[in-house]
């Protein structure tokens, strides 16, 4: 990947493309690339939907190669939701295709002078930009269906739905999966709104005629790749739990631990958890003829294969297998224990182009405001339809939980830096609370997944209910995660590399063999720190202070059942996280 594609959406006569050399961005991939470009080229105080913001789409360092599970895509910008830097990570096919086309990044710049929409087609012969007027107002599914009829079934699509066109702060960027369905999303932070502000409805990437990226040391790469894949297969989480039940295997685990946020974070256990658990979901999908046993990946080259397919009672496709965060957001958080309702809400989110975590949290806040009752599945569907329709109420909800709470006078809104908390209550899983508070991204479990150690005993054990050791745990995980996000590797590899030193060493050897520059564990740590430093510097320049690295006050005051515990990590301790 030796070039960057820049598309100036403010050019006279419509968007214009040019290809640049990597320059100072040489050697960067994924989150390292997106955060470096945003930090260097985007004014921190700019309006997120204005001409000065940029949307950076970057495959990982290993994407497009034979490296196992290396097809994650990073999408970065200044977030319209948080006002800070954002890297949103997605699976799907696009990263692998971009890697083979040789692009280290696609950067959307400027802002159109009219409200026209465009599509960008990229293949080995170059770039073509055409009107997408016929796609205006379409959801992601209809958009992909129309594009596939024109470009075929072997390309990958990067698209936005109605929410992105309406520039909603909960809008996602959709990436097609191996079945060419828009089910993989760079969901968090409103990246879809930024793509919409640039007037780009779709990016089509076609690697026909391109070869797989070659490693610098083929023999060492092959051996390291084999050892790495074997390590993933032998770990109980990546080799058994995730492939068998998908990510929703966590529902019963977290609920039993008392950390499952229920009815807008009021309690830590949901009475209906068993009805929406991964085990129940897999059995239902198998009964209906779906891939309930999570038999395929979201992109080619995945060896964990935690994805599946959800069909309705009549055997019709509804959506991909709803993931843990989605099942929680539209399920337990809203008091809903009907998998068919949850699957429909997931399908609607994917089609409209919305972050399922943000929308589930938003509907929970709306239920607290009296717009629907907890447990009312049809009420939740009606609220989400308002978002897709762009009604005045829908515009409020589509801009997230913080805005919704503000408009309807709800005090208890579970956000940090205006981004909704995911599916772990920080009082019962205190390490993840530290991550929510301090990550540059706003509340985000993937930034430093302390749940692994707090609840699952992966990489050691730190008592989930006590504040001791949580800052150090979160710090180390945030550093490691930033580095992983740069490679294009799926975050789920963390389970195996934390528990199995041989698997971690195989990963380090794999990267070194591919790049031709041998790595050490210290190099990986340095990479993670450099990414976080870039992001922290951007946020500081954007006006963030230590006061923004805090959970809402009620997490320190309201004890969470069943453990009757509050969040105990002090502000002073939180402020030490970036002291390296």
């Amino acid at each position: 990947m030796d070039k960057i594609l820049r598309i100036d959406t403010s050019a006279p006569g419509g968007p214009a493309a040019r290809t640049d050399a990597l320059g100072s961005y040489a050697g960067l991939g994924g989150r390292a690339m997106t955060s470096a470009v945003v930090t260097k080229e985007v004014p921190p105080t700019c309006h997120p939907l204005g001409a000065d913001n940029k949307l950076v789409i970057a495959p990982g360092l290993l994407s497009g190669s034979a490296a196992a599970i290396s097809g994650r895509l990073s999408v970065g910008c200044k977030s319209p939701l948080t006002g800070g830097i954002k890297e949103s990570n997605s699976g799907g096919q696009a990263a692998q295709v971009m890697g083979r086309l040789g692009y280290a990044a696609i950067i959307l710049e400027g802002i159109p002078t009219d409200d026209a929409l465009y599509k960008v087609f990229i293949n080995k012969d170059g770039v073509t930009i055409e009107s997408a007027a016929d796609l205006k107002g379409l959801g992601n599914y209809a958009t992909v269906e129309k594009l596939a009829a024109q470009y075929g079934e072997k390309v990958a699509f990067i698209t936005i739905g109605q929410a992105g066109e309406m520039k909603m702060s909960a809008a996602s960027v959709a990436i097609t999966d191996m079945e060419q369905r828009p089910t993989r999303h760079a969901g968090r932070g409103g990246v879809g709104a930024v793509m919409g502000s640039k007037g780009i409805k779709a990016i089509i990437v076609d690697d026909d005629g391109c070869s797989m990226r070659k490693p610098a040391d083929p023999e060492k790469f092959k051996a390291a790749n084999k050892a790495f894949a074997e390590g993933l297969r032998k770990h109980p989480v990546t080799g058994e739990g995730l492939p068998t039940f998908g990510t929703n295997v966590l529902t019963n685990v977290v609920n039993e631990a008392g950390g499952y946020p229920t009815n807008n974070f009021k309690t830590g256990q949901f009475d209906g958890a068993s009805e929406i658990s991964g085990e129940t979901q897999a059995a239902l999908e198998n009964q209906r003829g779906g891939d309930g046993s999570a038999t395929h990946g979201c992109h080619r080259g995945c060896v964990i294969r935690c994805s599946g397919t959800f069909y309705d009672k009549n055997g019709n496709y509804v959506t991909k297998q709803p993931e843990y965060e989605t099942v929680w957001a539209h399920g337990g958080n809203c008091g809903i224990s009907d998998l068919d309702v949850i699957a429909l809400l997931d399908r609607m989110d994917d089609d409209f182009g919305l972050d399922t975590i943000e929308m589930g949290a938003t509907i929970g806040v709306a239920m607290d405001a009296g717009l629907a009752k907890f447990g009312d599945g049809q009420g939740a569907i009606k609220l989400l339809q308002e978002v897709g329709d762009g009604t005045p109420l829908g515009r409020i909800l589509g801009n997230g939980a913080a805005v919704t709470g503000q408009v309807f006078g709800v005090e208890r809104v579970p956000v940090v830096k205006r981004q909704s908390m995911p599916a772990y209550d920080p009082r019962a899983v205190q390490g993840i609370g530290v991550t929510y508070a301090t990550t540059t991204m706003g509340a985000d479990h993937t930034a430093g997944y302390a749940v692994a150690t707090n609840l699952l005993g992966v990489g050691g054990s730190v008592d989930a209910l006590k504040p001791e050791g949580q800052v150090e745990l979160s710090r180390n995980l945030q550093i490691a995660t930033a580095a992983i996000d740069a490679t294009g590797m799926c975050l789920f590899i963390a389970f195996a590399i934390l528990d199995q030193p041989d698997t971690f060493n195989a990963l380090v050897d794999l990267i070194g063999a591919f790049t031709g520059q041998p790595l050490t564990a210290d190099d990986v740590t340095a990479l993670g720190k450099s990414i976080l430093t870039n992001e922290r510097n951007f946020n500081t320049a954007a006006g963030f202070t230590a006061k923004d690295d805090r959970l809402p006050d009620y997490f320190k005051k309201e004890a969470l059942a069943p453990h009757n515990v509050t969040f105990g990590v002090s502000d002073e301790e939180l402020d030490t996280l970036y002291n390296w």
Side-chain angles (χ1 to χ4, degrees):
M1 300 188 296
D2 58 356
K3 54 191 174 183
I4 291 176
L5 176 64
R6 293 181 182 266
I7 299 174
D8 180 4
T9 65
S10 61
R18 77 174 193 273
T19 301
D20 286 352
L22 293 179
S24 62
Y25 302 127
L28 301 181
R31 182 174 169 183
M33 174 66 78
T34 62
S35 291
V37 173
V38 172
T39 300
K40 184 176 181 180
E41 300 185 18
V42 174
T45 56
C46 76
H47 194 290
L49 302 178
D52 288 337
N53 199 8
K54 299 187 180 187
L55 190 75
V56 187
I57 303 170
L61 190 65
L62 297 170
S63 297
S65 75
I69 204 164
S70 60
R72 302 292 296 188
L73 186 73
S74 291
V75 181
C77 60
K78 177 175 178 176
S79 168
L81 183 70
T82 70
I85 199 166
K86 174 53 61 179
E87 184 265 357
S88 192
N89 201 278
S90 176
Q93 285 292 99
Q96 301 284 31
V97 176
M98 280 183 64
R100 286 189 279 273
L101 284 166
Y103 290 102
I106 299 170
I107 303 177
L108 306 183
E109 305 174 323
I111 197 168
T113 56
D114 55 27
D115 62 353
L117 277 180
Y118 295 90
K119 58 186 176 184
V120 181
F121 175 66
I122 308 166
N123 66 3
K124 63 181 177 59
D125 299 319
V127 181
T128 304
I129 303 175
E130 297 177 344
S131 169
D134 61 324
L135 304 177
K136 192 175 182 66
L138 294 184
N140 283 308
Y141 274 92
T143 296
V144 167
E145 184 178 356
K146 289 196 73 167
L147 291 173
Q150 179 180 358
Y151 295 102
E153 299 178 354
K154 295 183 178 180
V155 302
F157 301 112
I158 303 170
T159 62
I160 56 171
Q162 297 95 325
E165 287 188 47
M166 290 185 277
K167 305 179 187 69
M168 294 177 175
S169 293
S172 63
V173 171
I175 320 295
T176 48
D177 58 20
M178 292 196 297
E179 291 74 40
Q180 211 176 46
R181 292 166 173 162
T183 63
R184 306 297 152 181
H185 288 248
R188 312 236 63 195
V191 293
V194 179
M195 187 163 163
S197 75
K198 305 302 182 187
I200 303 298
K201 177 70 172 180
I203 300 172
I204 305 100
V205 285
D206 181 0
D207 61 355
D208 184 47
C210 299
S211 58
M212 190 172 288
R213 295 177 63 207
K214 300 294 190 292
D217 188 335
E219 291 304 316
K220 187 175 181 181
F221 176 85
K222 183 177 180 180
N225 198 28
K226 181 180 179 181
F228 177 62
E230 288 175 350
L232 295 177
R233 292 189 181 101
K234 74 181 182 181
H235 191 275
V237 175
T238 53
E240 297 174 23
L242 288 171
T244 304
F245 299 113
T247 63
N248 198 22
V249 69
L250 285 168
T251 291
N252 280 334
V253 174
V254 180
N255 193 63
E256 288 171 10
Y260 193 77
T262 301
N263 292 3
N264 191 28
F265 285 76
K266 288 188 179 67
T267 69
Q269 288 185 319
F270 178 44
D271 289 341
S274 63
E275 299 172 52
I276 59 175
S277 69
E279 293 84 347
T280 300
Q281 181 177 334
L284 178 65
E285 290 171 357
N286 283 328
Q287 175 188 330
R288 293 178 176 179
D291 298 323
S293 56
T295 54
H296 65 279
C298 67
H299 68 267
R300 292 185 180 88
C302 175
V303 298
I304 296 178
R305 300 168 69 83
C306 67
S307 184
T309 309
F310 193 96
Y311 294 89
D312 66 15
K313 297 174 183 177
N314 299 315
N316 300 309
Y317 168 82
V318 178
T319 185
K320 86 283 192 185
Q321 178 173 275
E323 297 179 0
Y324 169 69
E325 297 294 335
T326 301
V327 172
W328 160 79
H330 285 309
N333 189 57
C334 296
I336 295 169
S337 57
D338 187 329
L339 281 170
D340 284 303
V341 169
I342 293 167
L344 177 57
L345 290 165
D346 180 54
R347 165 66 180 243
M348 293 169 71
D349 283 331
D350 283 356
D351 197 30
F352 299 151
L354 291 161
D355 175 18
T356 60
I357 297 174
E358 193 67 43
M359 291 316 302
T362 298
I363 292 171
V365 171
M367 287 175 165
D368 248 351
L371 274 67
K373 293 182 178 180
F374 286 104
D376 182 1
Q378 293 307 310
I381 290 169
K382 289 177 181 178
L383 289 175
L384 191 54
Q385 187 63 51
E386 297 265 0
V387 181
D389 291 342
T391 66
L393 173 58
R395 297 263 184 167
I396 293 168
L397 299 173
N399 279 290
V403 167
T404 299
Q406 204 168 357
V407 169
F408 290 103
V410 178
E411 177 189 358
R412 301 175 70 265
V413 181
V415 299
V416 177
K417 301 178 180 71
R418 302 182 70 81
Q419 180 166 280
S420 294
M421 292 181 186
Y424 313 91
D425 195 295
R427 290 164 288 193
V429 194
Q430 304 234 345
I432 206 69
V434 174
T435 297
Y436 289 168
T438 60
T439 171
T440 53
M441 297 294 160
D444 181 2
H445 63 298
T446 67
Y449 193 65
V451 177
T453 306
N454 278 171
L455 297 186
L456 304 178
V458 173
S461 180
V462 177
D463 191 329
L465 300 176
K466 296 179 180 179
E468 288 80 17
Q470 307 294 358
V471 168
E472 182 181 6
L473 172 65
S474 178
R475 178 194 296 119
N476 291 337
L477 289 171
Q478 289 193 53
I479 292 168
T481 300
I484 290 172
D485 287 342
T487 66
M489 290 284 179
C490 174
L491 182 59
F492 290 154
I493 70 170
F495 293 106
I497 64 176
L498 285 171
D499 268 349
Q500 299 167 177
D502 289 349
T503 307
F504 174 76
N505 292 334
L507 173 63
V508 173
D509 290 344
L510 179 65
I511 299 169
F514 184 78
T515 63
Q517 299 175 337
L519 289 179
T520 65
D522 288 343
D523 294 325
V524 174
T525 299
L527 172 61
K529 288 180 177 179
S530 70
I531 295 168
L532 292 173
T533 298
N534 269 342
E535 295 169 354
R536 184 82 166 172
N537 289 343
F538 183 94
N539 281 359
T540 298
F544 286 80
T545 69
K547 293 180 181 179
D548 296 293
D549 291 344
R550 303 288 186 262
L551 301 182
D553 283 346
Y554 70 89
F555 287 100
K556 301 176 184 178
K557 297 176 181 178
E558 296 181 12
L560 180 75
H563 298 295
N564 297 318
V565 63
T566 58
F567 183 68
V569 182
S570 69
D571 291 349
E572 291 75 18
E573 289 177 279
L574 293 176
D575 291 341
T576 68
L577 189 131
Y578 287 92
N579 294 349
W580 52 62

